[in-house]
């Protein structure tokens, strides 16, 4: 899986779950027919939002985006559908290369943040399981804290 492919999957997935959440809000607040889609769409969107944020940091650090680009990528998740134009812009600026910068044969990790990312790139199945578990734990904690106000 290339950085371009991975980032595209999560950018599109984040936008799709925005649609589910907005549909749920429309049904709840405009048509006042059901609240079930807010629960479903909100839960899926919350999980995908967190996964997109992890992916943005993961790809951004590996590809040496710089702090500004990473923050802009994270911020794009807050605005509905903004992850898509961010992803298109990142492609055009050459931020989403085909090769992982921290993969075997690539550059050696130097910073505290690059080390676990390099480990994840070099062990993708373990990284996927670890990342999914971390996102799930954060997601459950946020659910226990209650819905956003």
């Amino acid at each position: 899986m290339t950085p371009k492919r991975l980032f595209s999957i999560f950018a599109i997935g984040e936008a799709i779950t925005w649609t589910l959440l907005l549909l749920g809000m429309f049904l709840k607040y405009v048509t006042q027919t059901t609240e079930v889609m807010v629960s479903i769409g909100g839960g899926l969107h919350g999980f995908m939002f967190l996964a997109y944020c992890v992916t943005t940091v993961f790809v951004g650090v590996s590809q040496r985006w710089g702090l500004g680009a990473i923050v802009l990528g994270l911020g794009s998740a807050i605005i509905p559908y903004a992850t898509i134009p961010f992803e298109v812009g990142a492609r055009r600026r050459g931020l989403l290369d085909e090769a992982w910068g921290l993969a075997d044969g690539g550059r050696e990790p130097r910073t505290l943040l690059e080390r676990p990312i390099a480990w994840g790139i070099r062990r993708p199945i373990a990284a996927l399981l670890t990342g999914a578990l971390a996102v799930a734990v954060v997601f459950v904690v946020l659910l226990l804290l209650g819905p956003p106000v």
Side-chain angles (χ1 to χ4, degrees):
M1 172 94 44
T2 66
K4 184 184 295 186
R5 179 86 173 122
L6 181 70
F7 192 79
S8 293
I9 288 168
F10 282 94
I12 292 167
E14 209 274 342
I16 289 169
T17 61
W18 260 118
T19 302
L20 296 174
L21 176 58
L22 292 172
L23 174 63
M25 291 171 66
F26 179 82
L27 293 173
K28 179 178 179 178
Y29 297 110
V30 176
T31 67
Q32 297 180 348
T33 54
T34 183
E35 294 184 20
V36 73
M37 277 302 293
V38 172
S39 297
I40 294 169
L44 290 172
H45 177 67
F47 190 86
M48 185 56 80
F49 174 87
L50 293 172
Y52 170 82
C53 290
V54 168
T55 301
T56 299
V57 172
F58 195 87
V59 171
V61 169
S62 174
Q63 304 309 103
R64 291 187 171 171
W65 284 5
L67 184 60
I70 292 172
V71 169
L72 187 60
L74 293 170
S76 72
I78 297 169
I79 302 165
Y81 307 109
T83 56
I84 301 298
F86 177 81
E87 187 260 342
V88 169
R91 281 179 185 243
R92 287 184 182 156
R93 292 189 320 252
L95 297 177
L96 293 170
D97 293 332
E98 291 294 329
W100 290 98
L102 293 170
D104 286 329
R107 74 179 194 280
E108 285 300 312
R110 293 187 203 144
T111 68
L112 187 62
L113 191 53
E114 284 183 346
R115 287 185 187 106
I117 291 173
W119 173 86
I121 292 168
R122 295 168 186 182
R123 293 163 191 82
I125 294 173
L128 178 65
L129 294 174
T130 302
L133 179 62
V135 168
V137 167
V138 170
F139 183 71
V140 168
V141 168
L142 290 173
L143 282 177
L144 293 173
L145 292 174
V149 177

